[in-house]
Amino acid sequence: MGWPILLGVFLGAIALLVVLFEWQFRQRPGNQLELTPGEWTWDIQQTNRYRLIGELELINRTRRLEIMVPELAAEVKLLSSGPLDEVRSHIHVTPLHPDASARADGYWFGYIVKVGKTTRLKVAIEITGPDLSQLQTAWIQVHYLTYGPEGRIPKTGHIIYPLQYPDPQILPKGRQTSVGDVFPIRTHLLTNLDDPVEMVKRYVLPHAKPGDIVTIGETPIAIMQGRMRHPSTLKPGWVAKRICYYFLPTSSLATACGMQSLVEVEGAGRVLFAFIVGAIAKAILRKPGVFYQLAGEQARLIDDVTGSLPPYDQFIVYGPENPQAVVDRIQKETGLSAAIVDVNDLKAVKILAATRDLSSNILEQALISNPAGNADEQTPVVLIRTPKN
């Protein structure tokens, strides 16, 4: 065997080792430290003073690596229907480590979260002002720094807490449709602290009759499941940066971050393949929509920033996960037939999931006028009552 062949074998072996090393490197977990939304309670709720208390967890999701948290701080943004000139807020974080005491000066000292372990923290928010009745939402942002195999990585946990709750005993005036009456039901601003079934029990069951149908928008369900990401956590890659330019400006995939959110769910290969085939089908066969058929269900369901109510207009919201299980659970625990739908003002009704006793025709006819609305109505739930009821 001559030296050129030996050199080729040697270089090939080196290339293979590099590929294997890169593959193994990509399989490593990195700084997988997650902050949970936690549990929140009203401590004080007066006309001129609110106090909220939240207990959150930091969870080390890695299997073999310790992750450090050298820095952690929090801030709160208030959303209101009126001016905030005289409203003041203060936020205080207290570490609740299982093996260390908090400092009296409030300093967050560096802490190691061991493999498979957790640590907790308490966040206390004081809000004061002459009249707090116009406050709508507290958007809490917990900024923490992870220190581990991927270096220093800043992360932010987002907790959105509603400060106003409509009276669940008030049923709005119904609207007549060809299949019966529909009642758009107002709720508080739904968050990832809410549960779909408990929400239905609170706002729908006080008015429901046997045989009624409840429908819920797909975006509120996704939000309750925590299926949202702030664009700052996305790093658009080669595919996302290039193909997003070819989508209509109104599409949620027309931005690098919007497209990257799809890439991270379906993979760059599938998205690129769908784009190439879709472009060929549209240009040569005059057949639009092939990309959405090939790129996965999330391609149609992702809402980019500005696509939802504040403060969700700052987030990318995915479509819901396993919607069929959600509607089946609603029916089992409330007795109501249920559906998760995507409806817009263009008379398009897409049914993501429905209990098996429902007719798609009834749902489409009842919802075609989009009774829930697409603005700031905050009526994500619609109660449908057919004539037999």
Side-chain angles (χ1 to χ4, degrees), residues 8 20 55 61 116-117 126 165 209 232 252 283 296 306 360 376:
L20 290 174
E55 289 202 9
R61 299 289 190 187
K117 300 296 183 180
E126 288 271 359
Y165 290 79
K209 297 180 179 180
S232 62
S252 289
T306 75
S360 59
D376 57 357

Side-chain angles (χ1 to χ4, degrees), residues 245-321:
Y245 283 99
Y246 295 92
F247 288 77
L248 292 174
T250 54
S251 170
S252 289
L253 304 179
T255 65
C257 287
M259 183 63 73
Q260 183 63 30
S261 66
L262 177 63
V263 167
E264 297 202 358
V265 173
E266 303 294 349
R270 178 174 184 175
V271 173
L272 183 59
F273 173 77
F275 174 75
I276 294 172
V277 175
I280 294 172
K282 187 175 183 179
I284 300 176
L285 304 178
R286 304 288 186 233
K287 184 178 180 181
V290 173
F291 170 84
Y292 292 96
Q293 296 173 13
L294 300 177
E297 187 177 28
Q298 290 297 324
R300 292 185 182 274
L301 298 178
I302 288 172
D303 281 331
D304 202 357
V305 296
T306 75
S308 304
L309 285 173
Y312 299 116
D313 61 332
Q314 304 294 317
F315 293 83
I316 296 171
V317 182
Y318 292 92
E321 182 178 28

Side-chain angles (χ1 to χ4, degrees), residues 77-80 135-139 159-166 185-195 199 202-203 219-220 223-224 228 308-313 315 375-380:
K77 294 182 180 180
L78 299 176
L79 281 71
S80 173
L135 290 183
Q136 297 174 318
T137 309
W139 177 8
I159 300 97
I160 296 169
Y161 195 88
L163 301 176
Q164 285 188 7
Y165 290 79
I185 295 181
R186 184 175 175 82
T187 70
H188 63 273
L189 184 70
L190 300 173
T191 77
N192 57 352
L193 300 173
D194 290 302
D195 175 76
M199 182 271 294
R202 177 172 186 163
Y203 291 106
T219 297
I223 287 171
M224 285 188 277
M228 57 186 186
S308 304
L309 285 173
Y312 299 116
D313 61 332
F315 293 83
D376 57 357
E377 294 90 347
Q378 208 165 302
T379 52

Side-chain angles (χ1 to χ4, degrees), residues 3 8 15-16 50 67 99 101 121 126 195 226 280 291 305 321 387:
W3 68 266
L16 179 61
Y50 290 168
I67 306 295
D99 52 0
S101 301
L121 57 137
E126 288 271 359
D195 175 76
I280 294 172
F291 170 84
V305 296
E321 182 178 28

